[in-house]
Amino acid sequence: MIGGTAPQVCWYGDDFTGATDTLAEVARAGLRSLLFLGVPSSAQLERAGPLDAIGIAGAARGMTPAEMEPELDAVGRFMASTGARVLHYKCCSTFDSAPHVGSIGAAVRTLRRHLPNPLVPIVGGQPSIGRYCSFSQLFARAGAAPEIHRIDRHPVMSVHPVTPMHEADLRLHLHAQGLSSIHAVPHIAYPPAADKPALDAWIDHVIDTIDGPLLLDLVDESQLAIIGRLIRRAAARAPLLAVGPSSVQQALARATTPAPGHGMQAAPLGLADGPVLVVAGSLSPVTARQIAACEHYVRQPLQVDRLRTDAAYAAEQAQLAAATLARGRNVLAHTDKPPGPVSAQDTAATARATGRLVADIVHASGQAGRRLARIGIAGGDTSSQATLALGLWGLAFRCVLAPGVTVSVARSDDPLTDGIELMLKGGQMGGDRLFDQLATGNG
């Protein structure tokens, strides 16, 4: 327990973009919240003040199980110490993961050590961004296009360079990661949300008869209240681990009567105060369309191989971007697409190099007398590495720019980066004009 008051919920995001999406959900539910970029120190908690929800942004999605264990063990120990009833392991809404990297099974095995409740609810969809789980099968949109694809036939996720999704049945997908004996509840089994006595009787039966992982279908937002009530009712017995995308927080908010601050909207984003920097390290076709569609930026293509291996080239690119920004022009620096297959090692090295480039541009701009006020980063791994390279320790919610795309306010001990408006977006998120929206605002 921190400061004598336990937060209602804690969450860990397995990458930074997803963690900020969850930050948006808890903030819009009216909870005082802050996303830390690591287990917070006592001084950082004191600076944050009273919190109803505490998040930690991590990089488990790109880690091996051996690398995940010490990070998540420390996270679990801290979050259990807060007294929160729900610890949410926020995974990607497409559940892209594998036994050897970003294993959700490894995360559950580590975090469960710190939670006494034997039940582990797994929420399998997020309709607000076009993710649906029906009879344990996962379906998803690709970007803003209306078509829905089974995840193993998805044009992006089925061919993901690191964690391609070749199995649509989440029970089998997670079983391969060490989560055995997964129970599943199909959406047709849910009682009506309005019939509270029948719903609570059904929930109590589920809690009394099921131990271990429980996969919950989600095909319609009306089912969020049912799922949230189940999680809350189970957590009232003993603190528990819940797994899934930001729909876990949506469900918890819907299950609160009345939902605190439900429907509360932050002020829309206005015109940027000065030039905007966007760095795109994502190879997603969605990001490629966003790069092609933007009209308010000077494009700066980046040669990935040189960026990774040639320090002089990287320094040159940072100075070039800073010089353009100093002239008051927005800059979109984007990595090129490699000619052949990309290995996990190459992907990680590229993310580190582009993350360092972001920090180098920010510092070069500062040295030139131009403090940047708004930055966008496209790509989950790039976002994680850039945020770490910038030396931030926390993110506060600013607004939602598009479904699944959050703008946060940086918290840092460095005046150059403290207060920057920061958009972190996954490769598939946002419409074609997203980068222009970041510059001009969506108000």
Side-chain angles (χ1 to χ4, degrees), residues 143-144 286 289-290 402-405 425-434:
V286 175
R289 290 197 298 270
Q290 291 165 343
V405 180
K425 94 167 194 78
Q428 296 185 75
M429 295 300 173
D432 290 353
R433 301 302 299 274
L434 182 72

Side-chain angles (χ1 to χ4, degrees), residues 48-99:
L51 295 172
D52 304 310
I54 296 175
I56 295 178
R61 186 176 170 190
M63 294 180 177
T64 66
E67 293 167 334
M68 294 171 72
E69 183 171 1
E71 166 151 335
L72 294 179
D73 190 57
V75 167
R77 191 180 308 111
F78 164 74
M79 290 186 169
S81 74
T82 68
R85 306 299 294 187
V86 177
L87 193 170
H88 172 199
Y89 182 77
K90 197 281 178 194
C91 64
C92 183
S93 60
T94 52
F95 280 78
D96 50 307
S97 51

Side-chain angles (χ1 to χ4, degrees), residues 211-249:
D211 287 348
L214 174 64
L215 178 60
L216 298 160
D217 273 4
L218 179 54
V219 298
D220 186 271
E221 293 203 2
S222 65
Q223 295 157 356
L224 288 167
I226 297 170
I227 293 171
R229 195 171 181 88
L230 187 155
I231 294 174
R232 285 194 181 278
R233 203 165 175 88
R237 299 191 183 190
L240 60 70
L241 170 66
V243 177
S246 295
S247 52
V248 171
Q249 301 299 333

Side-chain angles (χ1 to χ4, degrees), residues 1-155:
M1 188 172 294
I2 296 172
T5 303
Q8 296 182 31
V9 65
C10 291
W11 81 96
Y12 172 91
D14 68 355
D15 73 2
F16 282 36
T17 59
T20 60
D21 183 51
T22 304
L23 171 66
E25 294 298 341
V26 297
R28 292 194 296 178
L31 302 182
R32 296 169 298 180
S33 51
L34 193 70
L35 176 64
F36 294 94
L37 308 183
V39 174
S41 66
S42 299
Q44 289 167 352
L45 288 168
E46 185 175 350
R47 284 185 62 181
L51 295 172
D52 304 310
I54 296 175
I56 295 178
R61 186 176 170 190
M63 294 180 177
T64 66
E67 293 167 334
M68 294 171 72
E69 183 171 1
E71 166 151 335
L72 294 179
D73 190 57
V75 167
R77 191 180 308 111
F78 164 74
M79 290 186 169
S81 74
T82 68
R85 306 299 294 187
V86 177
L87 193 170
H88 172 199
Y89 182 77
K90 197 281 178 194
C91 64
C92 183
S93 60
T94 52
F95 280 78
D96 50 307
S97 51
H100 66 286
V101 61
S103 170
I104 296 170
V108 171
R109 289 192 298 274
T110 300
L111 292 172
R112 281 188 76 184
R113 300 171 191 162
H114 303 280
L115 283 304
N117 201 312
L119 188 67
V120 182
I122 302 172
V123 180
Q126 188 173 339
S128 63
I129 55 172
R131 311 292 190 254
Y132 309 93
C133 186
S134 178
F135 298 99
S136 302
Q137 311 294 308
L138 186 61
F139 300 82
R141 280 203 314 258
E147 293 82 7
I148 305 298
H149 309 271
R150 203 174 70 184
I151 201 67
D152 58 335
R153 298 177 181 175
H154 192 278

